[in-house]
Amino acid sequence: MSRIRTTRPLRGLAACAAGIALALTGLAGPASARASGTDTYVDCSATAAGNGSSAAPFNSLAAVNAVDFGPGDRVLFKRGATCRGQFAPHGSGAAGTPVRVAPYGTGSARPVIAGGGAVYAGIHLLNVEQWEIRGLEVTNQGATDAERNGILVELADHGTGTHYVLDDVYVHDVNGGDTKNSNGIQFRVSGTTTPTRFDDVLVQNSEIRKVDREGLTTMSSWNCRTIYGCSSGPAWTANTNVVFRGNEIHDIGGDGMVVRVTRDALVEHNEGYDIWMRSAGNNAGFWTINSDRTVFQYNEVHHVRRPGLNDGMAFDADFGTRGAIFQYNYTHDNEGGFLLLCGACGSGANTAGTVARHNVSVNDGSRILYAVGDAGAHLYNNVFALPQGGTTAVVEDGGGTSTTLWSNNIILNRGSGGWGGSGYTAADHTWRDNVIHGNHPASEPADPGKITADPRLTDATSTDPLDYRPGTGSPALARGLATPDNGGHDYAGAATPAACRPDIGAFQVSAFDDAACAGTNLVANGGFESGTTAPWTGSTSLTADTTSPHAGGYAARLTGSPASAEQIVTVQPNTTYVLSGWGRVDSYDTQLALGAKNFGGTETRAPVFSGTQWRGGSISFTTGASATRATVYCYARAGAGRSWCDDLRLVREAP
């Protein structure tokens, strides 16, 4: 039972179905003229073929598929009746007047589309737009496994297709083959001649059960870009405004949910469990690949199996991905762990800028992070409660370079696992202000602000994620690294500080006053509002630029790499400082770092900025015993594009 979703996906419950019935009570009137929208009735239990009117409904899918639907039309299926074959309608709606599909009649039973395994998809929307489908049940069970789908929405060399809603649909018993073209629900772009994408997709309040291989996914043939390891083929054309919300996905042969070739997709309030039940390949719970800025939030993912191979984790930022965010999620009892960073999983591919924050992970197995490549990940303000008596590792290195900052996390190492698994590259990981309690193997990394005392959580044995908040007197209170770009609130919705030291873990319990914690900024002209770069020095390409600054009228711009903006500041010895700022780039091959050096200690950097939108970052460092100066910088370390940094601050860390 999910404890973090605000809505529950429907399972054909009588109360929910009755609500739909009431909403459609007035539909059984005479059909209106098609010019103003026509109601077409379908009752596959009727003995006579009929003409599609309420008095004489169609009784076959063939009759429905012969209609050319238009704006404002409605297709109404009889409750409790089963239509066998494929629903493959023609025609499109228009903005504000989509074609709508819904049940009619009394009772709680859904209308059923039963493909019987004889069709490629029980419902196939091909090259149509402006469709909304609600309240249907779909199956496609054949005598043997084969490539097939429950609902397939497909655009083939179509251009941009707009507005698709699947709401309160129940898709189950689809015995597809062990291929990623077999799904419960898939939005697929195919073809190679016309750039094609979806815009405005919503799948919500639906259930997907017992399907092979994948549950709810997007797919596109227009996927080629360098960071995906692709140099020729249909150029990456992102699907936009994709939202998967409030769905229940379970008993899935392979992957639960996969977001491919999208920009700014939102995946929230879903529950996925009993995943990777039958597939022979690698599979995970919810993940994204070759996409930008996918946000996974308020989901519960549990009981993903790992019968073999490498995966089996709740989440994955796979190759070709930029700026994925996993936040406010509850994961538990996943055999393969919490998160996979898989930038090096594709030849010549890479991933950068993944963020995991304010999540609660309980009893996830194998490892918390399977690190297989990310050029600047940040895992912060999470709770990781490793299984009691288990062997779960905190990090397992699977190849590639996973440059990762771990800050403000509570790690309860309650078993015999440690840092390593099948390998751990210490140089890839930076640790700041974490609580690490329990088992302390020799491989445990150094952390200047590490706390090893019991964090005194409300109940660290609970199945309720809210019990993993620190209690009164916890050493985790107000001891974290200040992070300016932190999502604005914690797991439970409480505001989080941007300047003050936050509580360590996924919950903000302490009161704070950011104005009082702001401190004196030791960086001169950190916002470049003078219109010049002085006193910053560096590359000849350094300039004050007015192109979409983070705040104010200017930001610093660098072109190409290596390129830098540096400033020497006055500091005190044996003192801890926090360096923060904002950055962005305009090219996928470009990476911008924020860091400090020459302070009497080891040079340190925040996770790189690798996305086209502004993102904040911070890092702390402690000066040496005789240090009086430090150099702070923005550094374009890779790529040929332009990069910007803005609103740089260096303050003494609050006590």
Side-chain angles (χ1 to χ4, degrees), residues 26-321:
L27 294 180
S32 58
R34 186 168 295 278
S36 59
T38 298
D39 290 347
T40 298
Y41 290 81
V42 186
D43 177 5
C44 289
S45 65
T47 55
N51 59 8
S53 66
S54 60
F58 289 141
N59 69 349
S60 72
L61 291 173
V64 185
N65 295 340
V67 177
D68 190 15
F69 295 101
D73 287 351
R74 293 191 294 183
V75 187
L76 306 172
F77 285 88
K78 178 69 177 294
R79 289 186 178 280
T82 297
C83 293
R84 304 191 183 280
Q86 182 181 73
F87 178 38
H90 301 281
S92 295
T97 54
V99 181
R100 293 184 170 93
V101 180
Y104 79 95
T106 59
S108 61
R110 295 173 182 267
V112 179
I113 307 294
V119 297
Y120 189 65
I123 297 178
H124 191 188
L125 302 185
L126 175 62
N127 286 350
V128 298
E129 302 179 48
Q130 298 286 333
W131 277 77
E132 298 181 357
I133 298 177
R134 291 180 168 85
L136 299 191
E137 181 175 339
V138 181
T139 69
N140 197 9
Q141 182 81 9
T144 59
D145 296 349
E147 185 176 303
R148 58 173 65 97
N149 298 268
I151 299 176
L152 176 62
V153 185
E154 184 176 7
L155 298 175
D157 289 322
H158 177 79
T160 299
T162 62
H163 191 70
Y164 304 85
V165 174
L166 300 178
D167 183 12
D168 181 27
V169 297
Y170 176 33
V171 179
H172 64 98
D173 291 289
V174 180
N175 60 330
D178 198 4
T179 77
K180 298 189 178 186
N181 283 331
S182 293
N183 301 263
I185 299 174
Q186 184 172 78
F187 287 80
R188 181 184 302 175
V189 171
S190 58
T192 60
T193 61
T194 302
T196 299
R197 67 185 180 95
F198 288 97
D199 178 64
D200 188 12
V201 170
L202 174 62
V203 181
Q204 68 177 1
N205 301 330
S206 297
E207 182 181 3
I208 302 172
R209 180 187 64 82
K210 198 177 181 182
V211 304
D212 297 290
R213 165 178 174 173
E214 300 187 318
L216 172 59
T217 71
T218 63
M219 178 76 79
S220 179
S221 57
W222 287 84
N223 61 18
C224 190
R225 59 178 178 172
T226 303
I227 63 171
Y228 188 57
C230 182
S231 58
S232 63
W236 190 79
T237 305
N239 301 304
T240 53
N241 296 306
V242 175
V243 177
F244 295 157
R245 175 185 293 131
N247 304 291
E248 184 174 9
I249 300 171
H250 61 118
D251 194 0
I252 308 300
D255 300 303
M257 184 188 298
V258 189
V259 177
R260 303 178 178 93
V261 194
T262 67
R263 181 185 289 117
D264 300 309
L266 178 61
V267 177
E268 64 178 4
H269 299 291
N270 303 281
E271 183 177 7
Y273 60 97
D274 294 341
I275 292 169
W276 196 359
M277 302 300 288
R278 292 171 288 277
S279 172
N282 269 311
N283 298 276
F286 294 175
W287 56 285
T288 185
I289 182 171
N290 199 14
S291 297
D292 289 355
R293 301 186 299 273
T294 308
V295 175
F296 293 84
Q297 62 182 13
Y298 309 112
N299 303 288
E300 180 177 358
V301 183
H302 57 102
H303 293 95
V304 179
R305 296 175 66 240
R306 188 189 175 194
L309 302 177
N310 294 320
D311 292 0
M313 58 284 299
F315 298 121
D316 167 21
D318 218 284
F319 63 95
T321 293

Side-chain angles (χ1 to χ4, degrees), residues 475-534:
L477 301 181
R479 300 308 302 165
L481 171 66
T483 306
D485 183 18
N486 59 24
H489 63 88
D490 73 353
Y491 181 94
T496 49
C500 292
R501 300 190 70 170
D503 295 344
I504 298 173
F507 300 91
Q508 182 64 35
V509 177
S510 302
F512 61 89
D513 181 352
D514 271 339
C517 295
T520 300
N521 186 9
L522 302 179
V523 172
N525 196 23
F528 305 94
E529 293 308 306
S530 68
T532 70
T533 57

